Structure formats: C-alpha cells, structure tokens
Amino acid sequence: FSLNYQATVSSLRISRTMIVISQRTFGHKCERRDIRMHQGSTWRRPIELVDYLGVAVDLSGCLLRGNVRKNALDIGTPLITIACTITDAASGYAELLVTDTELASITTGERLNDAASRHWYDVELEWSDGYVQRIVEGRVAIFREVTK
C-alpha cells in the first residue's frame, strides 16, 4: 500500500517507502516534511532526486547528510546523525537510515504531543562543486517504545 502526496511548491512526493524530491535548483527554500519515527525501530526511507522535468539528477560526486536535534538552534552533537547513502548516483537514488539503537536512545514524552517527543531534522545535499543545499526539513515526532 502506498500513500502518495504531491506538493506544489517543489514537486516533492512522499510515500511510506519513497521520497521524491524534484528540481536541480532547489532554490533558497527547501521542502518541509514532518515525519514520525518509532523509538526502538529502524527508520529507513529511500529518496529519489529528479529535475523539474522528472529526469533523474546525477548524484555522482555528491554527499548527503542529515541530523536530528531537539531544536534547530542546538549546537554540538546532534541527537541522531541520519545515515545518508547514495545507492545509485546516476539514477538519483539515495537512502536515509536511523537505526533502532539510535532511536531507542532518544528520550521521549509519555504522549506524542509532549515536548520531549518533538524534535527537528534536515537533510542537505552537497554537490560535487561544494555547493550545499538543504533539500528537506521538518519536525520529527518520536513515538515511545513499549517493548524493551
């Protein structure tokens, strides 16, 4: 089952299994996508970058990086470093991953709306020429784990 959502601002489509980010010139405004993670579970999302015509963006020589922090102004070590791997550079495919161990180590509130359960994340793309663009950002709600 796949739930597709297509945004009008940057042509980002997100589903339970795939995030598609469209355009080479992401501009000064990145796409905002709030996500949910489950404490103690692996969170994995494949992503695909395509240009405004839907053609795959070549990620050869590029790097992806991402972090989760309590708030965007936090400095120092992030709560979670999102593992970003380019899986098929020529086709614009990559994968974002947070392990079950990393998520289990995060303190959450009793309820999802509690401040302790709410965090921020972003993912940046560094092009082969050194130019860095934030491609997606948003809130992270982390559900607490019952089974330990």
Side-chain angles (χ1 to χ4, degrees):
F1 144 75
S2 177
L3 173 66
N4 286 325
Y5 173 82
Q6 195 159 359
T8 57
V9 175
S10 69
S11 300
L12 173 79
R13 291 189 312 258
I14 187 167
S15 72
R16 298 187 94 136
T17 56
M18 175 72 74
I19 299 171
V20 180
I21 301 171
S22 176
Q23 71 196 76
R24 161 66 164 112
T25 55
F26 299 105
H28 302 292
K29 182 177 174 184
C30 73
E31 187 62 30
R32 165 93 189 247
R33 283 289 160 242
D34 295 341
I35 58 176
R36 293 181 178 181
M37 295 179 177
H38 297 270
Q39 190 183 45
S41 297
T42 301
W43 182 86
R44 177 178 301 185
R45 290 296 178 272
I47 62 173
E48 177 186 16
L49 282 89
V50 296
D51 67 14
Y52 65 96
L53 295 173
V55 177
V57 173
D58 187 353
L59 298 176
S60 298
C62 295
L63 299 171
L64 284 168
R65 57 180 173 250
N67 287 317
V68 175
R69 296 181 186 271
K70 185 61 193 160
N71 67 58
L73 299 177
D74 280 352
I75 58 173
T77 306
L79 294 172
I80 297 172
T81 298
I82 300 170
C84 303
T85 305
I86 295 175
T87 55
D88 184 349
S91 298
Y93 288 107
E95 181 179 79
L96 308 177
L97 173 72
V98 178
T99 67
D100 58 324
T101 305
E102 289 173 303
L103 282 168
S105 71
I106 301 299
T107 302
T108 64
E110 184 178 335
R111 290 177 299 280
L112 190 59
N113 333 11
D114 291 346
S117 298
R118 311 294 270 172
H119 303 80
W120 288 94
Y121 83 101
D122 68 11
V123 176
E124 297 174 338
L125 174 66
E126 182 177 344
W127 296 94
S128 56
D129 63 3
Y131 185 75
V132 177
Q133 291 176 298
R134 185 177 318 148
I135 57 173
V136 64
E137 68 182 0
R139 297 283 299 191
V140 177
I142 300 179
F143 288 99
R144 68 184 163 94
E145 178 180 26
V146 176
T147 303
K148 305 210 187 281

